[in-house]
Amino acid sequence: MEGRLVLKNCSIFRTDGRGRAGLAIVIEGGLIRRVAPDAEVPVLPGDWEVSCRGRLVMPGLVDCHAHLVGDLLMPTSGELLLHPPQFRLERERRMAMLLTASDVEILSRYAMARALRSGVTLVVEHLSCPGDVAGALDAQARAAEQLGLRLVASHATTSLDGTAQAEAQLEANADFVRRRGSHPLVRGALGFHASWTSANALLRNIGILRESSGAPLVFHLAEGDHDLAITWGQNFQRVVPRLESFGLLGPLSVAAYARAVDDAESVRLAESGTCVALGPGAALLVEPSGRALETLHGRQNLMGLGSAGHGNLWDALSAALITVLGAARGSRLVDPDGVLVQLFSDGPAELCSRLFNVPSGAVEEGRLADLVVFDCVPALDLDSGQAPDLLGQLGRSRVAWNIVNGRVTVREGQLLGLDEVTLAREAALVISRVWARARVPEAEAP
């Protein structure tokens, strides 16, 4: 797009409810160049003017830990979630082994389209495609560039198929990271699945690569009691000290779940600067407990919400609200609204700034032009001039426009350049084919 993108007559509010209306936003070169009263910003020849009509403009949402493909292949169901973690993982691996790079691209396009239409501008992806790691990561990168989604992609490598397979998958992941080191939209991150599925040799090699490259790292941290028990049984260490010993914690590490972390480990995570991506929806469904949030909050841990393969980010926010209220009613957590803002806005914005080395997370000059226009004209409290319960208002509002790196990806609720129904149909065909190939005869099922 030539020229500037100019958003006129915007309402701009922070998540604490403070803000202003009647503003214009000028976007150029992927950054917010100016924020000023509407009357002071003329629309020049060649500009693309967006009439917001008083609607709310907010920084784009960040999904701090996603399984774009896995969420489609393994939709949430009670029958599946009643099985133990080892059974669920084996089911996931069986289907992931059947995926081709073409399958990943088709499924990723559809999942990314849904993410954009829900207001997400950055996804930190944890992909599993052990049969073709290089092809699958490149496929996700192509899909993200086509749709205009900001993406950090990693592979959930394990040691379950042997040392040689783990090394080959890690090298393919590392090559993707090297080739995408400075891309403006799509970056690579190193990745492994979790402590309980990773041998010392794999973690040692990841630590060496991470130190030499300075690349981000994505993994599951203390998935639950099973992760803690298996790690202790095999290594006589808890999960956090074990990963720390290989140099896997740090400001560019994104550690998902953290459901089996004690107070001392929470402090170590905070001191290392590790971002903990909480999946409260997955926590309520898989291993019901609010202890991760209670343990981490208040110790200066950087935290953010992730869909974690269970719905979208708004589902995660609803689950976080349930978890936070339960803890607050038990006098184990104060300021539930502040906790939600930290999880939904402040922590994810800081993570985006770290990953792309550009300030983000606010509608201010010099910030990344990752913005969402909601079909919401904020209701104001006349006494304070604030918009109370802003997250609640947004959760009931449609995403009208989605702008990533200065590029419009969703216009008045419609995906630009691609038909979402066509994407859904293509994805359904891939899923049906993979399910058919992965089906286990009834007699062999546990």
Side-chain angles (χ1 to χ4, degrees):
M1 181 183 67
E2 299 296 331
R4 308 178 306 171
L5 179 64
V6 183
L7 279 60
K8 300 285 284 184
N9 192 15
C10 307
S11 294
I12 300 174
F13 282 79
R14 303 195 309 249
T15 46
D16 63 4
R18 299 180 181 275
R20 295 173 61 190
L23 297 176
I25 304 168
V26 178
I27 296 171
E28 191 173 21
L31 296 175
I32 299 172
R33 298 297 184 182
R34 190 179 181 194
V35 179
D38 210 62
E40 297 179 10
V41 180
V43 179
L44 305 176
D47 287 348
W48 182 357
E49 179 184 0
V50 177
S51 178
C52 292
R53 296 180 290 164
R55 288 180 293 185
L56 185 66
V57 180
M58 294 278 290
L61 309 183
V62 176
D63 191 337
C64 296
H65 184 79
H67 297 283
L68 293 173
V69 173
D71 189 24
L72 295 175
L73 284 177
M74 297 279 290
T76 301
S77 71
E79 187 278 330
L80 177 67
L81 293 171
L82 288 173
H83 286 284
Q86 291 86 339
F87 174 86
R88 295 198 303 270
L89 178 63
E90 188 54 40
R91 182 88 169 268
E92 293 169 7
R93 293 180 65 239
R94 186 185 308 135
M95 287 192 288
M97 283 295 298
L98 297 172
L99 290 171
T100 66
S102 176
D103 294 336
V104 169
E105 187 163 359
I106 290 169
L107 295 176
S108 296
R109 268 202 304 264
Y110 178 50
M112 290 174 184
R114 295 199 305 178
L116 287 168
R117 289 191 64 241
S118 71
V120 171
T121 54
L122 166 62
V123 170
V124 180
E125 166 71 341
H126 206 200
L127 172 69
S128 179
C129 183
D132 186 3
V133 174
L137 289 172
D138 283 336
Q140 283 203 314
R142 285 193 300 271
E145 290 182 79
Q146 183 180 14
L147 276 81
L149 177 72
R150 193 179 296 279
L151 178 72
V152 175
S154 64
H155 187 261
T157 298
T158 76
S159 301
L160 299 177
D161 295 316
T163 301
Q165 286 286 343
E167 289 179 356
Q169 292 173 28
L170 176 58
E171 179 50 40
N173 190 169
D175 180 63
F176 178 78
V177 171
R178 286 189 287 267
R179 289 187 286 108
R180 290 275 169 175
S182 58
H183 194 279
L185 197 68
V186 180
R187 302 280 176 91
L190 298 171
F192 65 95
H193 174 253
S195 174
W196 68 288
T197 59
S198 302
N200 286 341
L202 172 60
L203 298 183
R204 185 178 301 109
N205 288 338
I206 292 174
I208 293 170
L209 282 171
R210 187 256 183 82
E211 183 176 3
S212 62
S213 66
L217 176 62
V218 179
F219 54 91
H220 293 177
L221 175 73
E223 276 192 342
D225 292 336
H226 67 284
D227 191 356
L228 201 61
I230 293 174
T231 297
W232 182 266
Q234 294 176 347
N235 304 280
F236 302 104
Q237 285 182 295
R238 289 176 60 90
V239 174
V240 172
R242 182 183 183 224
L243 300 186
E244 186 179 38
S245 70
F246 290 107
L248 303 181
L249 306 181
L252 291 181
S253 293
V254 184
Y257 303 131
R259 289 195 286 263
V261 172
D262 63 23
D263 289 338
E265 291 164 347
S266 173
V267 172
R268 293 164 82 170
L269 289 169
E271 291 174 346
S272 70
T274 299
C275 176
V276 180
L278 297 180
L284 289 175
L285 291 166
V286 176
E287 191 171 348
S289 170
R291 56 182 171 165
L293 180 57
E294 295 170 31
T295 304
L296 294 164
H297 181 65
R299 294 176 176 82
Q300 306 304 313
N301 279 283
L302 179 65
M303 297 185 293
L305 284 183
S307 58
H310 291 271
N312 62 29
L313 213 53
W314 295 102
D315 298 324
L317 179 63
S318 298
L321 175 61
I322 294 169
T323 302
V324 166
L325 287 178
R329 285 172 176 146
S331 301
R332 300 186 303 276
L333 203 64
V334 297
D335 188 18
D337 290 331
V339 175
L340 290 179
V341 168
Q342 180 184 0
L343 290 174
F344 191 71
S345 175
D346 296 349
E350 173 62 23
L351 176 61
C352 180
S353 300
R354 290 181 183 184
L355 292 173
F356 286 87
N357 202 30
V358 180
S360 66
V363 187
E364 297 174 355
E365 295 174 7
R367 303 282 181 135
L368 275 178
D370 291 1
L371 301 173
V372 178
V373 181
F374 289 93
D375 267 347
C376 171
V377 178
L380 297 177
D381 174 46
L382 296 179
D383 292 332
S384 67
Q386 296 187 28
D389 187 30
L390 194 58
L391 291 183
Q393 293 185 53
L394 292 181
R396 295 183 290 271
S397 303
R398 183 189 72 147
V399 170
W401 292 69
N402 190 326
I403 300 162
V404 184
N405 200 38
R407 170 186 169 184
V408 175
T409 62
V410 173
R411 179 174 60 189
E412 295 300 349
Q414 299 299 312
L415 194 69
L416 281 189
L418 291 168
D419 176 58
E420 191 171 352
V421 176
T422 300
L423 298 181
R425 186 167 59 245
E426 293 171 349
L429 290 173
V430 169
I431 294 168
S432 296
R433 185 169 62 248
V434 174
W435 282 354
R437 293 174 61 196
R439 187 171 293 117
V440 179
E442 197 66 30
E444 297 179 17

